[in-house]
Amino acid sequence: MPDRETMPSAPAPEVSERAAALPQEALKIASGYAFSGPALQLGALLWDGRCLPDAQIRVPLTMLNRHGLVAGATGTGKTKTLQLIAEQLSAQGVPVFLADIKGDLSGIAAPGRSDARVGGRAEDVHQRWTATGFPAEYYALGGIGRGIPVRATVTGFGPVLLAKVLRLNRTQEQSLALIFHYADSKGLELIDLKDLRAVVTFLTSDEGRQELKTVGGLSAATAGVILRSLTAFEAQGASGFFGEPEFDTAELLRTGEDGRGIVSVLELNAVQDRPQLFSTFLMWLLADLFHDLPELGDVDKPRLVFFLDEAHLLFDDASEAFLESITRTVRLIRSKGVGVFFVTQTPKDVPADVLAQLGNRVQHALRAFTPDDQKALNATVKTFPNSPYDLEEVLTGLGTGEAVVTVLSEKGAPTPVAATRLRAPESLMGPVGQEALDRAVEESPLYERYARAVDRESAYERLTDGRGGRGAKGPDEMRDAAPVEERAQERPSGVEQVVGSGVFKSLARSVGTQIGREITRSLFGTARRSGRRRR
């Protein structure tokens, strides 16, 4: 590993002696970025149309759990900014999570290629550029795409997040929460979507009418709407995202043998047509971390930095409960050592209560072609501290790989606004080859753990077999690890088989009995059982 400016042992650069010759305003800005501790190098100051490499723009490592925003119009360089920050975090021993929407972040594991553009950028900003790859793991949501499959159980996902992907209204969301509560109280494990469908099918049946009365506030009509939404959701091919083995988010916190943080890249290119689903899954990962991680207080460096790409999708048609949960999670997860960066086009895509908590800002160029664009530009300018720049002019005139930056200083105060020419990433700026990606996935120590879906006894089996499940196996006993698709062909299906099961006759007598293990739910209603491995 070559010497790197970003390693903790390297002395923190201060404003150079040559910077004394800078214009007074530029010198004042540069002085705001002369931190004493470890920091990430973002680039060099732009002032009066010139790049001033003696005025380096940086962000303190200790402040990266204070969250951030990377914004800008399409094609302005947001993805390369993510890559640049992720590389330096990894070099500092900080694990990183990246959502790869376009499929071009897989190159972070491979050394970059030097060319005239890279060389010119490095010279402009006084960057000692060295082609370097970084340790990475590749994941794919539900196993769709190239990567280690990431799945969640329905119980783990919880009612608030599931209501969002089902596009339920507030009343239906509350009703879904009651159904989850009912399943929890009965010890009916909701592993995959067919488990939840079996429970709702029973509650909407003639036989289940009496049980429905025990679920206060849940009407048969609303339960029917939920059942239809769930059935349509399954018909769209969503079943593969839910099931076991459920992904353990502790995997995102690992470092490599050389001490560098592992960059976890979740490929979403194959599920771009399901934005509600993948954006909500990203929030599930974050909520799961929040639920399990211990309090750390102030830290020398983050335990993880989590980038939420296409962040506006999280907030589209979001319920009040969902927005409140996001706001509280972002506010509180900082003390657990996790930094969250929202990546989107304009700050107005992020609710004000969330935006107020994002202390580090990298704003790429905005366009003002339409009245709506102009309105977004004006709103963006108002979110920055007072500045000697004409920000409306600067933000519309920035080139690719340039941005307006303000971060939190080591004392927690905002730094001066700095137009910045950003450094070039040192890893490959583009995807790695398919063969190399497949090989990296299959050689990962996590591949065997998550690659093959399993289907053990859960609510569906209990509700379609009056003997308590095929083979009467215990709730924790794993069944044969056949693919889900094969097992689905073996099982009975349909409302008649669910409703006709003898197990329903005993359900009313088991109210309040914990057949399963204790379930606790977090802000999002996500759940972890007591037997699950803890961080």
Side-chain angles (χ1 to χ4, degrees), residues 348-510:
K348 73 179 183 65
D349 294 334
V350 181
D353 287 345
V354 176
L355 188 64
Q357 299 175 58
L358 310 183
N360 303 298
R361 302 273 301 278
V362 181
Q363 176 67 59
H364 287 265
L366 291 174
R367 308 304 178 211
F369 299 137
T370 69
D372 285 343
D373 290 343
Q374 186 63 47
K375 189 181 298 184
L377 175 62
N378 294 339
T380 299
V381 169
K382 291 176 182 178
T383 64
F384 280 93
N386 290 334
S387 165
Y389 292 100
D390 180 340
L391 285 180
E392 283 198 24
E393 181 180 342
V394 170
L395 286 173
T396 54
L398 291 170
T400 302
E402 297 176 345
V404 171
V405 174
T406 180
V407 302
L408 292 180
S409 71
E410 292 164 312
K411 295 180 179 180
T415 58
V417 175
T420 306
R421 181 161 295 165
L422 298 167
R423 293 183 168 217
E426 297 184 341
S427 56
L428 182 64
M429 289 187 279
V432 296
Q434 293 183 2
E435 290 185 7
L437 181 56
D438 289 341
R439 184 167 59 251
V441 171
E442 293 171 7
E443 291 177 355
S444 167
L446 305 182
Y447 183 73
E448 288 300 321
R449 188 179 307 166
Y450 295 106
R452 193 172 179 83
V454 296
D455 187 11
R456 64 183 173 93
E457 182 181 281
S458 49
Y460 177 88
E461 286 74 22
R462 290 193 61 230
L463 297 181
T464 54
D465 190 336
R467 296 172 300 168
R470 189 176 300 161
K473 295 184 179 181
D476 293 325
E477 186 172 353
M478 296 296 288
R479 298 173 59 200
D480 178 48
V484 171
E485 294 79 2
E486 294 178 15
R487 301 208 64 86
Q489 295 174 3
E490 300 173 7
R491 296 191 198 94
S493 60
V495 174
E496 293 83 3
Q497 293 175 349
V498 174
V499 172
S501 171
V503 76
F504 291 129
K505 298 177 182 179
S506 65
L507 277 177
R509 296 192 296 271
S510 68

Side-chain angles (χ1 to χ4, degrees), residues 108-164:
I108 199 165
R113 301 190 185 105
S114 180
D115 57 24
R117 290 172 57 189
V118 169
R121 177 58 59 99
E123 183 178 355
D124 283 349
V125 300
H126 285 188
Q127 176 185 6
R128 296 198 297 272
W129 191 91
T130 304
T132 309
F134 295 82
E137 289 280 11
Y138 300 104
Y139 299 97
L141 199 57
I144 298 178
R146 287 180 163 81
I148 298 163
V150 173
R151 306 179 188 89
T153 64
V154 171
T155 282
F157 203 68
V160 176
L161 296 177
L162 189 59
K164 188 170 192 301

Side-chain angles (χ1 to χ4, degrees), residues 90-406:
S90 174
Q92 298 274 14
V94 178
V96 179
F97 173 86
L98 296 175
D100 190 6
I101 304 293
K102 295 177 287 187
D104 56 2
L105 282 170
S106 60
I108 199 165
R113 301 190 185 105
S114 180
D115 57 24
R117 290 172 57 189
V118 169
R121 177 58 59 99
E123 183 178 355
D124 283 349
V125 300
H126 285 188
Q127 176 185 6
R128 296 198 297 272
W129 191 91
T130 304
T132 309
F134 295 82
E137 289 280 11
Y138 300 104
Y139 299 97
L141 199 57
I144 298 178
R146 287 180 163 81
I148 298 163
V150 173
R151 306 179 188 89
T153 64
V154 171
T155 282
F157 203 68
V160 176
L161 296 177
L162 189 59
K164 188 170 192 301
V165 297
L166 291 177
R167 298 179 180 271
L168 302 182
N169 63 31
R170 183 175 181 179
T171 298
Q172 293 159 358
E173 176 185 320
Q174 293 169 341
S175 297
L176 183 63
L178 291 172
I179 294 170
F180 270 73
H181 175 72
Y182 174 81
D184 290 352
S185 68
K186 296 292 186 178
L188 295 170
E189 289 193 284
L190 306 177
I191 302 301
D192 49 27
L193 291 176
K194 74 179 185 307
D195 291 321
L196 180 58
R197 176 163 44 82
V199 173
V200 183
T201 297
F202 168 63
L203 290 174
T204 55
S205 70
D206 292 339
E207 290 80 355
R209 215 169 268 168
Q210 198 61 35
E211 283 292 290
L212 189 66
K213 294 179 181 178
T214 70
V215 189
L218 176 61
S219 72
T222 302
V225 171
I226 292 172
L227 180 60
R228 289 192 294 274
S229 298
L230 188 59
T231 302
F233 189 52
E234 287 184 282
Q236 295 167 9
S239 297
F241 302 107
F242 297 92
E244 289 184 322
E246 183 176 61
F247 183 71
D248 187 347
T249 50
E251 314 289 9
L252 304 179
L253 305 174
R254 296 181 300 132
T255 56
E257 294 181 358
D258 59 2
R260 292 186 295 171
I262 290 178
V263 181
S264 298
V265 181
L266 178 63
E267 181 192 324
L268 297 174
N269 187 47
V271 292
Q272 283 191 73
D273 58 337
R274 306 178 198 188
Q276 287 276 343
L277 181 64
F278 76 67
S279 63
T280 310
F281 247 90
L282 296 181
M283 202 64 219
W284 170 73
L285 293 171
L286 192 61
D288 187 73
L289 287 164
F290 173 79
H291 188 259
D292 281 3
L293 289 176
E295 293 284 336
L296 295 178
D298 292 330
V299 292
D300 292 334
K301 63 182 181 181
R303 191 171 187 179
L304 171 73
V305 175
F306 194 101
F307 289 89
L308 278 167
D309 206 352
E310 300 291 341
H312 65 281
L313 297 172
L314 276 176
F315 308 110
D316 289 347
D317 302 320
S319 69
E320 184 178 341
F322 186 84
L323 292 175
E324 288 176 356
S325 296
I326 290 179
T327 303
R328 291 182 63 192
T329 300
V330 172
R331 181 183 300 125
L332 298 174
I333 204 169
R334 176 185 68 80
S335 63
K336 299 191 175 192
V338 177
V340 183
F341 275 69
F342 292 84
V343 185
T344 188
Q345 293 205 1
T346 73
K348 73 179 183 65
D349 294 334
V350 181
D353 287 345
V354 176
L355 188 64
Q357 299 175 58
L358 310 183
N360 303 298
R361 302 273 301 278
V362 181
Q363 176 67 59
H364 287 265
L366 291 174
R367 308 304 178 211
F369 299 137
T370 69
D372 285 343
D373 290 343
Q374 186 63 47
K375 189 181 298 184
L377 175 62
N378 294 339
T380 299
V381 169
K382 291 176 182 178
T383 64
F384 280 93
N386 290 334
S387 165
Y389 292 100
D390 180 340
L391 285 180
E392 283 198 24
E393 181 180 342
V394 170
L395 286 173
T396 54
L398 291 170
T400 302
E402 297 176 345
V404 171
V405 174
T406 180

